[in-house]
Amino acid sequence: MRRALAAALLLGVAATGTVAGAGTPAVAADPGWHPVKESWQPYPEGDLTLPAAKYCGSFDLTLSAVKQNVKVKVLSRWDDGTPRTEKYTGLLLSRATNTSTGTSTVLNLSGTAHTLYRIDGSLQTYTTTGPVGVGWAAGNGPELAQGYYRFTGYHVVTYGEDGVKHLTTDRGQEIDVCNLVS
């Protein structure tokens, strides 16, 4: 389940200890976790369809990897063995397609992302150095209109315990891919 959520994150559908800007997890007051030294693992991206009502309004948006070499590394684990922090990096070129018209564009989403999970497995923080893709569904924070965005620069998205996400740090640009293929 956690891996499926992380996959969606890299394509942008869906991470208070925070992740430090240099990509190293900040030591937090959360008890019950420990840093680990694990190897990088391949992380192949699958196809994804974002429903119109939640993201692009009048059309579904599909995302499919054109070229990829994404990898993931667990940086810390909760004492029960589940990942607490992970880092994602590598080549990801993804085709975003408007399913109503067939209009598409290829996106370079080859940035770096760090995820921080709560002990219950829910995403707490998603920290990116773009380019990366991030979906912003209807009902999320007011910082962005609903859509699917290509973030460049440094961004931090936080997730409330209710699942609502907020763009809490914006040091870059957000391009709404829905507008590019509409």
Side-chain angles (χ1 to χ4, degrees):
M1 170 75 173
R2 197 172 285 196
R3 291 282 184 202
L5 177 59
L9 282 173
L10 279 178
L11 285 174
V13 177
T16 263
T18 57
V19 178
T24 305
V27 176
D30 296 337
W33 66 272
H34 54 278
V36 295
K37 293 184 185 243
E38 297 185 12
S39 300
W40 288 99
Q41 300 296 318
Y43 195 82
E45 292 293 335
D47 292 349
L48 184 63
T49 299
L50 304 180
K54 285 184 149 185
Y55 295 95
C56 292
S58 60
F59 60 90
D60 290 349
L61 182 73
T62 61
L63 299 163
S64 55
V66 174
K67 192 170 186 182
Q68 62 178 312
N69 186 22
V70 179
K71 55 190 175 177
V72 61
K73 183 176 189 175
V74 177
L75 303 175
S76 66
R77 290 189 177 275
W78 291 105
D79 287 345
D80 69 2
T82 58
R84 178 179 175 270
T85 55
E86 294 174 310
K87 179 178 181 178
Y88 295 83
T89 193
L91 174 69
L92 178 58
L93 301 179
S94 183
R95 180 174 309 282
T97 304
N98 173 331
T99 60
S100 295
T101 65
T103 304
S104 69
T105 188
V106 174
L107 306 168
N108 179 353
L109 303 176
S110 301
T112 300
H114 288 85
T115 55
L116 172 64
Y117 299 99
R118 294 180 182 88
I119 197 162
D120 67 3
S122 63
L123 192 57
Q124 183 172 327
T125 308
Y126 184 56
T127 303
T128 67
T129 303
V132 298
V134 176
W136 206 263
N140 282 313
E143 301 85 11
L144 295 170
Q146 80 179 54
Y148 178 76
Y149 292 87
R150 182 178 181 265
F151 284 3
T152 58
Y154 178 77
H155 293 81
V156 178
V157 177
T158 58
Y159 293 73
E161 291 188 23
D162 59 1
V164 174
K165 58 184 163 183
H166 293 275
L167 181 60
T168 54
T169 302
D170 178 358
R171 294 190 198 132
Q173 186 178 39
E174 306 82 40
I175 298 167
D176 189 349
V177 177
C178 299
N179 290 336
L180 292 178
V181 298
S182 62

